[in-house]
Amino acid sequence: IGASAERFLAIIGPMESARTPQREAPSATQSPRRAPATANSAGRGGLVRQAVQNLLLFPSIAARVTPRDVEALAGLDEPGMDVLRELLDSLQDEPATRTAQVLERWREHPAGERLARLAAVKSITPDEAAAGDEFIYALRRLAQGTTAAEIDALLAKEQATGLDAAERDRLRQLLSESRHPAR
């Protein structure tokens, strides 16, 4: 990360390394890269596409989304996120039970035709419960990408110019959340 171990520990505070098992360092042939949030899953398109499709086919799953999950989506800048956020907001404000209801509401929207095509694609998700679980998983995976980017930005700023107290606290919070994600 470009900071000495001492400087890093000064930023984040004491670690629980005595209780945490040590992981092996990656070998020269292994890459420590994170998978991108838009990664495809079994040829089904990116996480945003999967989330939108599940929301279209099972609109009642919008009720399962917590305010914290909605807040995490606010900072995401992935292709299609604007439609996902708008669709989720509209379904939380005006719940729907059928795909046809959602498509009718979006008929005049610029994304309406794309949503209709996506709703026509056969889903491999068997039922509403599975779709809801997959939807929440996709939202949280997308949010993890945002958290990682914010951590990287704060670490880069620390290296370049240093962090103020609020930024240092935010970095600690993000690192703690990334070690112990909410379920």
Side-chain angles (χ1 to χ4, degrees):
I1 62 173
S4 69
E6 294 80 23
R7 182 69 182 138
F8 181 74
L9 289 174
I11 295 168
I12 65 165
M15 302 278 294
E16 300 175 29
S17 61
R19 293 186 298 182
T20 305
Q22 297 296 320
R23 295 184 181 150
E24 291 183 28
S27 70
T29 59
Q30 293 175 320
S31 174
R33 291 184 225 158
R34 288 184 285 271
T38 58
N40 288 342
S41 176
R44 298 173 51 209
L47 290 173
V48 174
R49 181 182 184 279
Q50 291 175 35
V52 169
Q53 185 181 33
N54 280 325
L55 207 48
L56 285 170
L57 299 177
F58 303 97
S60 59
I61 65 175
R64 290 184 53 182
V65 179
T66 66
R68 182 177 178 173
D69 290 329
V70 171
E71 182 182 315
L73 294 178
L76 295 174
D77 189 26
E78 299 282 335
M81 278 306 301
D82 54 338
V83 172
L84 175 58
R85 281 190 292 264
E86 189 175 348
L87 181 59
L88 180 58
D89 288 345
S90 72
L91 287 171
Q92 287 185 323
D93 290 344
E94 292 181 60
T97 56
R98 300 192 187 285
T99 302
Q101 291 172 301
V102 178
L103 294 177
E104 180 59 28
R105 292 178 192 171
W106 282 68
R107 186 168 41 116
E108 299 298 322
H109 191 279
E113 189 176 317
R114 285 185 307 171
L115 292 178
R117 284 194 309 266
L118 185 58
V121 174
K122 183 167 174 48
S123 173
I124 65 168
T125 308
D127 56 35
E128 184 175 321
D133 291 344
E134 187 175 279
F135 181 71
I136 298 299
Y137 172 78
L139 295 183
R140 291 182 180 163
R141 282 289 311 269
L142 288 163
Q144 284 174 352
T146 300
T147 299
E150 189 175 354
I151 289 170
D152 291 346
L154 286 168
L155 290 172
K157 182 175 182 193
E158 165 58 28
Q159 182 180 2
T161 61
L163 299 176
D164 63 29
E167 292 167 328
R168 195 171 293 113
D169 289 343
R170 178 67 179 151
L171 180 58
R172 281 189 197 112
Q173 175 190 7
L174 291 170
L175 289 170
S176 175
E177 288 173 2
S178 69
R179 284 190 300 245
H180 309 289
R183 302 226 178 225

Coordinates of all heavy atoms in Angstrom, one line a residue, residues 36-88:
P36 N -13.9 -8.3 -9.8 CA -14.7 -7.0 -10.0 C -16.2 -7.3 -9.6 O -16.7 -8.4 -9.7 CB -14.6 -6.7 -11.5 CG -14.2 -8.0 -12.1 CD -13.4 -8.8 -11.1
A37 N -16.8 -6.2 -9.1 CA -18.2 -6.4 -8.7 C -19.1 -6.7 -9.8 O -20.2 -7.2 -9.6 CB -18.7 -5.1 -8.0
T38 N -18.7 -6.4 -11.0 CA -19.5 -6.7 -12.2 C -19.3 -8.1 -12.8 O -19.7 -8.4 -13.9 CB -19.3 -5.6 -13.3 OG1 -17.9 -5.7 -13.6 CG2 -19.7 -4.3 -12.9
A39 N -18.5 -8.9 -12.0 CA -18.2 -10.2 -12.5 C -19.4 -11.0 -13.0 O -20.5 -10.9 -12.4 CB -17.5 -11.0 -11.4
N40 N -19.3 -11.7 -14.0 CA -20.4 -12.6 -14.5 C -20.5 -13.8 -13.7 O -19.5 -14.3 -13.2 CB -20.1 -12.9 -16.0 CG -20.3 -11.7 -16.9 OD1 -20.9 -10.8 -16.5 ND2 -19.8 -11.8 -18.1
S41 N -21.6 -14.3 -13.6 CA -21.9 -15.6 -12.9 C -22.5 -16.6 -13.8 O -23.7 -16.4 -14.1 CB -22.7 -15.3 -11.6 OG -23.0 -16.4 -11.0
A42 N -21.8 -17.6 -14.1 CA -22.3 -18.7 -14.9 C -23.0 -18.2 -16.2 O -24.0 -18.7 -16.6 CB -23.2 -19.6 -14.1
G43 N -22.4 -17.3 -16.8 CA -23.0 -16.8 -18.1 C -24.3 -16.0 -18.0 O -25.0 -15.9 -18.9
R44 N -24.6 -15.5 -16.8 CA -25.8 -14.9 -16.5 C -25.7 -13.4 -16.6 O -26.7 -12.7 -16.2 CB -26.4 -15.3 -15.2 CG -26.7 -16.8 -15.1 CD -27.0 -17.3 -13.8 NE -28.1 -16.5 -13.2 CZ -28.2 -16.3 -11.9 NH1 -27.4 -16.9 -11.1 NH2 -29.2 -15.6 -11.5
G45 N -24.6 -12.8 -16.9 CA -24.4 -11.4 -16.9 C -23.9 -10.9 -15.6 O -23.7 -11.7 -14.7
G46 N -23.7 -9.6 -15.5 CA -23.2 -9.0 -14.3 C -24.1 -9.0 -13.1 O -25.3 -9.3 -13.3
L47 N -23.6 -8.6 -12.0 CA -24.4 -8.6 -10.8 C -25.6 -7.6 -10.9 O -26.7 -7.9 -10.4 CB -23.6 -8.3 -9.6 CG -22.6 -9.4 -9.1 CD1 -21.7 -8.8 -8.0 CD2 -23.3 -10.6 -8.6
V48 N -25.4 -6.5 -11.5 CA -26.4 -5.5 -11.7 C -27.5 -6.1 -12.5 O -28.7 -6.0 -12.2 CB -25.9 -4.2 -12.3 CG1 -27.0 -3.2 -12.6 CG2 -24.9 -3.6 -11.4
R49 N -27.2 -6.7 -13.6 CA -28.2 -7.3 -14.5 C -29.0 -8.4 -13.8 O -30.2 -8.5 -13.9 CB -27.5 -8.0 -15.7 CG -28.5 -8.6 -16.7 CD -27.7 -9.2 -17.9 NE -28.5 -9.7 -18.9 CZ -29.1 -10.9 -18.9 NH1 -28.9 -11.7 -17.8 NH2 -29.9 -11.4 -19.9
Q50 N -28.3 -9.3 -13.0 CA -28.9 -10.3 -12.2 C -29.9 -9.7 -11.2 O -31.0 -10.2 -11.0 CB -27.9 -11.2 -11.5 CG -27.1 -12.1 -12.5 CD -26.0 -12.8 -11.7 OE1 -26.2 -13.2 -10.6 NE2 -24.9 -13.0 -12.3
A51 N -29.5 -8.7 -10.6 CA -30.3 -8.0 -9.5 C -31.5 -7.4 -10.2 O -32.7 -7.6 -9.7 CB -29.5 -7.0 -8.8
V52 N -31.4 -6.7 -11.3 CA -32.5 -6.2 -12.0 C -33.5 -7.2 -12.4 O -34.7 -7.1 -12.3 CB -32.1 -5.3 -13.2 CG1 -33.3 -4.9 -14.0 CG2 -31.4 -4.0 -12.7
Q53 N -33.0 -8.3 -13.0 CA -33.8 -9.4 -13.5 C -34.6 -10.0 -12.3 O -35.8 -10.3 -12.5 CB -33.0 -10.5 -14.2 CG -33.9 -11.5 -14.8 CD -33.2 -12.6 -15.5 OE1 -32.1 -13.0 -15.2 NE2 -33.8 -13.2 -16.6
N54 N -33.9 -10.3 -11.2 CA -34.6 -10.9 -10.1 C -35.7 -9.9 -9.6 O -36.8 -10.4 -9.2 CB -33.7 -11.2 -8.9 CG -33.0 -12.5 -9.2 OD1 -33.5 -13.5 -9.8 ND2 -31.7 -12.6 -8.8
L55 N -35.4 -8.6 -9.6 CA -36.4 -7.6 -9.1 C -37.6 -7.6 -10.1 O -38.7 -7.4 -9.6 CB -35.7 -6.3 -9.0 CG -36.3 -5.3 -8.0 CD1 -36.5 -5.8 -6.7 CD2 -35.3 -4.1 -7.9
L56 N -37.3 -7.7 -11.4 CA -38.4 -7.7 -12.3 C -39.3 -9.0 -12.2 O -40.5 -8.9 -12.2 CB -37.9 -7.7 -13.8 CG -37.3 -6.4 -14.3 CD1 -36.6 -6.6 -15.6 CD2 -38.4 -5.4 -14.4
L57 N -38.7 -10.1 -12.1 CA -39.4 -11.4 -12.0 C -40.1 -11.6 -10.7 O -41.1 -12.3 -10.6 CB -38.5 -12.5 -12.4 CG -37.9 -12.5 -13.8 CD1 -37.0 -13.6 -14.0 CD2 -39.0 -12.4 -14.9
F58 N -39.5 -11.1 -9.6 CA -40.1 -11.3 -8.3 C -40.1 -9.9 -7.6 O -39.3 -9.7 -6.7 CB -39.2 -12.3 -7.5 CG -39.1 -13.6 -8.2 CD1 -38.0 -13.9 -8.9 CD2 -40.1 -14.6 -8.0 CE1 -37.8 -15.2 -9.5 CE2 -40.0 -15.8 -8.6 CZ -38.8 -16.1 -9.4
P59 N -41.0 -9.0 -8.0 CA -40.9 -7.6 -7.5 C -41.1 -7.5 -6.0 O -40.6 -6.5 -5.3 CB -42.0 -6.9 -8.2 CG -42.8 -7.9 -8.9 CD -42.0 -9.2 -9.0
S60 N -41.7 -8.5 -5.3 CA -42.0 -8.4 -3.9 C -40.7 -8.5 -3.1 O -40.6 -8.2 -1.9 CB -43.0 -9.4 -3.4 OG -42.5 -10.7 -3.7
I61 N -39.6 -8.9 -3.7 CA -38.3 -9.0 -3.0 C -37.7 -7.7 -2.6 O -36.9 -7.6 -1.7 CB -37.2 -9.9 -3.7 CG1 -36.8 -9.2 -5.0 CG2 -37.7 -11.3 -3.9 CD1 -35.7 -10.0 -5.7
A62 N -38.2 -6.6 -3.2 CA -37.8 -5.3 -2.9 C -38.0 -5.0 -1.4 O -37.3 -4.2 -0.8 CB -38.5 -4.2 -3.7
A63 N -39.0 -5.6 -0.8 CA -39.3 -5.4 0.6 C -38.3 -5.9 1.5 O -38.2 -5.5 2.7 CB -40.7 -6.0 1.0
R64 N -37.4 -6.8 1.0 CA -36.4 -7.4 1.9 C -35.1 -6.5 2.0 O -34.3 -6.8 2.8 CB -35.9 -8.8 1.3 CG -37.0 -9.9 1.4 CD -36.5 -11.2 0.9 NE -35.3 -11.6 1.5 CZ -34.7 -12.7 1.2 NH1 -35.2 -13.5 0.3 NH2 -33.5 -13.1 1.8
V65 N -35.0 -5.5 1.2 CA -33.9 -4.7 1.2 C -33.9 -3.7 2.4 O -34.9 -3.0 2.6 CB -33.8 -3.9 -0.2 CG1 -32.5 -3.0 -0.2 CG2 -33.7 -4.9 -1.3
T66 N -32.8 -3.7 3.1 CA -32.7 -2.9 4.3 C -32.3 -1.4 3.9 O -31.7 -1.2 2.8 CB -31.7 -3.4 5.3 OG1 -30.4 -3.3 4.7 CG2 -32.0 -4.9 5.7
P67 N -32.6 -0.5 4.8 CA -32.1 0.9 4.5 C -30.6 0.9 4.3 O -30.0 1.7 3.5 CB -32.5 1.7 5.7 CG -33.7 0.9 6.2 CD -33.5 -0.5 5.9
R68 N -29.8 0.1 5.1 CA -28.4 0.0 5.0 C -28.0 -0.4 3.6 O -27.0 0.1 3.0 CB -27.8 -0.9 6.0 CG -26.3 -0.9 6.0 CD -25.8 -1.8 7.1 NE -24.3 -1.9 7.1 CZ -23.6 -2.4 8.0 NH1 -24.1 -3.0 9.0 NH2 -22.3 -2.4 7.8
D69 N -28.7 -1.4 3.0 CA -28.4 -1.9 1.7 C -28.6 -0.8 0.6 O -27.9 -0.6 -0.3 CB -29.2 -3.1 1.3 CG -28.7 -4.4 2.1 OD1 -27.5 -4.5 2.4 OD2 -29.6 -5.2 2.4
V70 N -29.7 -0.1 0.8 CA -30.1 1.0 -0.1 C -29.0 2.1 0.0 O -28.6 2.6 -1.1 CB -31.5 1.6 0.2 CG1 -31.7 2.9 -0.6 CG2 -32.6 0.6 0.0
E71 N -28.6 2.4 1.2 CA -27.5 3.4 1.4 C -26.2 3.0 0.7 O -25.5 3.8 0.1 CB -27.3 3.7 2.9 CG -26.2 4.7 3.2 CD -26.0 4.8 4.7 OE1 -27.0 4.9 5.4 OE2 -24.9 4.9 5.1
A72 N -25.9 1.8 0.7 CA -24.7 1.3 0.1 C -24.7 1.4 -1.4 O -23.7 1.5 -2.0 CB -24.4 -0.2 0.5
L73 N -25.9 1.3 -2.0 CA -26.0 1.5 -3.4 C -25.8 2.9 -3.9 O -25.5 3.1 -5.1 CB -27.4 1.0 -3.9 CG -27.8 -0.5 -3.7 CD1 -29.2 -0.8 -4.1 CD2 -26.8 -1.4 -4.4
A74 N -26.0 3.8 -3.0 CA -26.0 5.3 -3.4 C -24.6 5.6 -4.1 O -24.6 6.4 -5.0 CB -26.2 6.1 -2.2
G75 N -23.5 5.1 -3.6 CA -22.2 5.5 -4.1 C -21.7 4.7 -5.3 O -20.7 4.9 -5.8
L76 N -22.5 3.7 -5.8 CA -22.1 2.8 -6.8 C -22.2 3.5 -8.2 O -23.2 4.1 -8.5 CB -22.8 1.5 -6.8 CG -22.6 0.6 -5.6 CD1 -23.5 -0.6 -5.6 CD2 -21.2 0.2 -5.5
D77 N -21.2 3.3 -9.0 CA -21.2 3.9 -10.4 C -21.0 2.8 -11.4 O -20.1 2.9 -12.3 CB -20.2 5.0 -10.5 CG -20.3 5.8 -11.8 OD1 -21.4 5.9 -12.3 OD2 -19.2 6.3 -12.2
E78 N -21.8 1.7 -11.3 CA -21.7 0.6 -12.3 C -22.7 0.9 -13.4 O -23.7 1.5 -13.2 CB -22.0 -0.7 -11.6 CG -21.1 -1.1 -10.5 CD -19.8 -1.6 -10.9 OE1 -19.7 -2.2 -12.1 OE2 -18.8 -1.5 -10.2
P79 N -22.5 0.3 -14.6 CA -23.5 0.4 -15.6 C -24.8 -0.2 -15.2 O -24.8 -1.3 -14.6 CB -22.9 -0.4 -16.8 CG -21.4 -0.3 -16.5 CD -21.2 -0.3 -15.0
G80 N -25.9 0.5 -15.3 CA -27.2 0.0 -15.0 C -27.6 0.3 -13.5 O -28.7 0.0 -13.2
M81 N -26.7 0.8 -12.7 CA -27.0 1.1 -11.3 C -28.1 2.1 -11.2 O -29.0 2.0 -10.3 CB -25.8 1.5 -10.6 CG -24.9 0.4 -10.1 SD -25.7 -0.9 -9.1 CE -26.4 0.1 -7.8
D82 N -28.2 3.1 -12.1 CA -29.2 4.1 -12.0 C -30.6 3.4 -12.2 O -31.5 3.7 -11.4 CB -29.0 5.2 -13.1 CG -28.8 4.6 -14.5 OD1 -28.5 3.5 -14.7 OD2 -29.1 5.4 -15.4
V83 N -30.7 2.5 -13.1 CA -32.0 1.8 -13.3 C -32.3 0.9 -12.1 O -33.4 0.9 -11.6 CB -32.0 0.9 -14.6 CG1 -33.2 0.1 -14.7 CG2 -31.8 1.9 -15.8
L84 N -31.3 0.2 -11.6 CA -31.5 -0.7 -10.4 C -32.0 0.2 -9.2 O -33.0 -0.2 -8.6 CB -30.2 -1.4 -10.1 CG -30.3 -2.3 -8.8 CD1 -31.4 -3.3 -8.9 CD2 -29.0 -2.9 -8.5
R85 N -31.3 1.3 -9.0 CA -31.7 2.1 -7.8 C -33.2 2.6 -8.0 O -34.0 2.6 -7.1 CB -30.8 3.3 -7.7 CG -29.5 2.9 -6.9 CD -28.7 4.1 -6.6 NE -28.1 4.8 -7.8 CZ -26.9 4.6 -8.2 NH1 -26.1 3.8 -7.6 NH2 -26.5 5.2 -9.3
E86 N -33.5 3.1 -9.2 CA -34.8 3.7 -9.5 C -35.9 2.6 -9.4 O -36.9 2.8 -8.8 CB -34.8 4.3 -10.9 CG -36.1 5.1 -11.2 CD -36.0 5.9 -12.5 OE1 -34.9 6.0 -13.1 OE2 -37.1 6.3 -12.9
L87 N -35.6 1.4 -9.9 CA -36.5 0.3 -9.9 C -36.8 -0.1 -8.4 O -37.9 -0.3 -8.0 CB -36.0 -0.9 -10.7 CG -36.9 -2.1 -10.8 CD1 -38.2 -1.8 -11.4 CD2 -36.1 -3.2 -11.6
L88 N -35.7 -0.2 -7.7 CA -35.8 -0.6 -6.3 C -36.6 0.4 -5.5 O -37.5 0.1 -4.7 CB -34.4 -0.8 -5.6 CG -34.4 -1.2 -4.2 CD1 -35.1 -2.5 -3.9 CD2 -32.9 -1.4 -3.7

